[in-house]
Amino acid sequence: MANRIEIVRAARQAFVDTVDGLTDVQFDHGTTLCTQWAPRDVLAHLIGTSDIGRYLRAPWRLHKINAEAVAAGRSRDRSELIAAARRWAQVPDRAVAGLLLGDLAMHHQDVLRGLGLSREIPPVEEAAILAEGVSLTVQKLQPTLLRYRVEPTNGIGRPRGRGTVVRGTAEALGLWLGGRNIADVEIG
């Protein structure tokens, strides 16, 4: 478990470094793959997930809880939000450290891809993005994996689903399954 916590801590620090390195305009108004959220909003959402109890007590309120975290983040200035993020990055909850890695890694890509940036994704994070995408289709009761068979082309993760074949990196497939509008998957 200690290794998993270190992986999550490193992923959180990398994300915070990314958003901290953005210009003020990018931070406050930049485009992300989460179309309604700027990078600051994605950051506020991720910090908000540290209160996992709210999500577990009322999973049907997921969107409302996320909206509340984003609104709270919008009331903070950039330096205050980044300072809170640095504290959040250091203390992943032991009970859910691995559970939220996919959400974190996916949102890191949401910010980077939305701004036309990239990074080398650690394989453990890329696998978590694919798993998160699969999980999101189940959570949203979407029949995606009944209509499509996703096949990672980079050796991370295993094929899943049935139907029309969709190929791409594990990261691209995870984002696609998570409802992101991306062009680097091959359908059919």
Side-chain angles (χ1 to χ4, degrees):
M1 180 57 104
N3 187 35
R4 190 60 142 177
I5 289 170
E6 289 306 314
I7 289 168
V8 172
R9 187 174 287 129
R12 285 181 173 192
Q13 290 171 347
F15 179 73
V16 175
D17 289 345
T18 292
V19 294
D20 193 20
L22 300 176
T23 66
D24 287 339
V25 171
Q26 289 173 318
F27 183 81
D28 289 324
H29 307 290
T31 301
T32 72
L33 297 184
C34 298
T35 57
Q36 302 300 313
W37 289 351
R40 77 167 8 261
D41 301 327
V42 174
L43 179 61
H45 157 66
L46 288 171
I47 293 169
T49 64
S50 64
D51 186 6
I52 194 70
R54 294 182 70 201
Y55 292 93
L56 296 176
R57 285 188 300 276
W60 59 90
R61 294 184 61 233
L62 177 73
H63 296 297
K64 186 173 192 307
I65 295 166
N66 287 341
E68 290 167 356
V70 168
R74 287 180 181 163
S75 71
R76 299 168 103 170
D77 69 28
R78 179 181 178 151
S79 62
E80 183 183 0
L81 193 56
I82 292 293
R86 294 263 178 230
R87 289 188 300 276
W88 162 81
Q90 292 303 312
V91 191
D93 184 313
R94 293 185 188 286
V96 294
L99 178 67
L100 295 176
L101 180 60
D103 187 49
L104 167 61
M106 184 175 280
H107 282 310
H108 197 163
Q109 293 308 112
D110 289 335
V111 169
L112 290 169
R113 280 175 168 255
L115 294 171
L117 305 171
S118 65
R119 69 178 176 131
E120 186 171 323
I121 307 167
V124 69
E125 287 186 45
E126 189 164 357
I129 292 169
L130 178 58
E132 179 75 6
V134 169
S135 175
L136 287 171
T137 65
V138 173
Q139 289 171 25
K140 295 177 182 177
L141 303 174
Q142 295 173 335
T144 308
L145 292 174
L146 297 175
R147 290 187 286 190
Y148 297 98
R149 175 175 173 81
V150 295
E151 297 182 352
T153 57
N154 60 341
I156 296 176
R158 63 177 174 76
R160 296 175 184 181
R162 60 180 185 207
T164 304
V165 173
V166 181
R167 290 187 178 93
T169 64
E171 178 254 0
L173 292 172
L175 291 171
W176 180 78
L177 286 168
R180 276 52 172 191
N181 186 14
I182 61 168
D184 51 344
V185 294
E186 178 187 318
I187 301 175

